[in-house]
Amino acid sequence: MSRDVAVSALRPEQVTIPRGSAFARVPLVGGVIGGLGLIISLAMRAGDTKQFVFSWLVAFLFFLSLALGALFFVLIHFATQAGWGIVVRRLAENTMGTLPLFALLFVPVTLGMVERFPWIHGIAAGKDHVLNGKAPYLNTAFFVGRAVFYFICWSGIAVFFVRRSRAQDGTGNLKISVALRGLSGPAIIVLALTQTFAAVDWIMSLNPFWYSTIFGVYWFAGSFVSFFAFLTLMVLLFRRAGLMGNAVGTEHFHDVG
């Protein structure tokens, strides 16, 4: 596919956020705002831990979907040997590189399980035959164990691909791309299955009496679309800040769209 601009080699300063840039302060500002928001929400919802856990879960799932969408984008990119996304792939790798952090952010969900997941009380009561039938799957130990397995898979795949991609930047070894392409297919299968089960565990089980055989696909597809929207906004902001040079053209935005 032809491009509407001629792409020249990027200079280091074009792909590095300057120290005085507003982008360099985003982590600090975001951390302060998030911390203040957490304190205010706890103060406003004093004693209402159920609502707090639910709000945390909603926010957690949304931002996790962006990281998982980025992971899927990178895997698809390697599996199909797509060329158009190379200039934005680093943004996707940085996004999926946050997945180990989400394992830590999941801790409040586990601590508030009793408040948020009604099947815990229902199964303990032992009066409903539907919940009794689901007890081998919907139980606290297995729930937490599955979550640990999901994060091990996601974090392991993300960290491995990021590190190998960085290594290729330094060595220029094309064999790394070949190896990552071979691993991308199995990794996509692992991601699809684990994200599907995570959707069942963390969202669908909020109402253990309702089920959908395609529910995992909704979250899986939604995370991919959400990441594309996030990627578009980030590229626009970086371009307006004078970063990335002319590497990203109009047709790249068409491809993302």
Side-chain angles (χ1 to χ4, degrees), residues 10-33:
L10 293 175
R11 300 187 302 275
E13 61 270 19
Q14 291 179 301
V15 293
T16 304
I17 297 178
R19 291 183 179 275
S21 171
F23 288 107
R25 296 190 292 271
V26 167
L28 176 60
V29 174
V32 171
I33 294 175

Side-chain angles (χ1 to χ4, degrees), residues 173-198:
N173 187 357
L174 296 179
K175 292 183 179 179
I176 294 178
S177 291
V178 175
L180 293 180
R181 182 192 179 194
L183 293 172
S184 60
I188 289 173
I189 296 175
V190 172
L191 173 61
L193 290 174
T194 52
Q195 189 170 353
T196 295
F197 277 95

Side-chain angles (χ1 to χ4, degrees), residues 135-153:
Y137 186 84
L138 291 180
N139 62 79
T140 303
F142 196 22
F143 180 94
V144 175
R146 290 194 302 273
V148 171
F149 177 74
Y150 302 152
F151 283 112
I152 289 176
C153 291

Side-chain angles (χ1 to χ4, degrees), residues 90-114:
R90 184 67 78 228
L91 295 177
E93 290 175 349
N94 290 336
T95 303
M96 73 183 192
T98 62
L99 281 168
L101 175 62
F102 282 96
L104 178 63
L105 296 176
F106 188 74
V107 172
V109 177
T110 61
L111 295 178
M113 282 181 60
V114 177

Side-chain angles (χ1 to χ4, degrees), residues 32-57 59 108:
V32 171
I33 294 175
L36 291 175
L38 182 61
I39 294 173
I40 293 173
S41 64
L42 286 172
M44 294 179 64
R45 291 289 181 177
D48 189 3
T49 56
K50 184 176 181 179
Q51 180 59 47
F52 176 80
V53 172
F54 180 76
S55 300
W56 182 281
L57 179 63

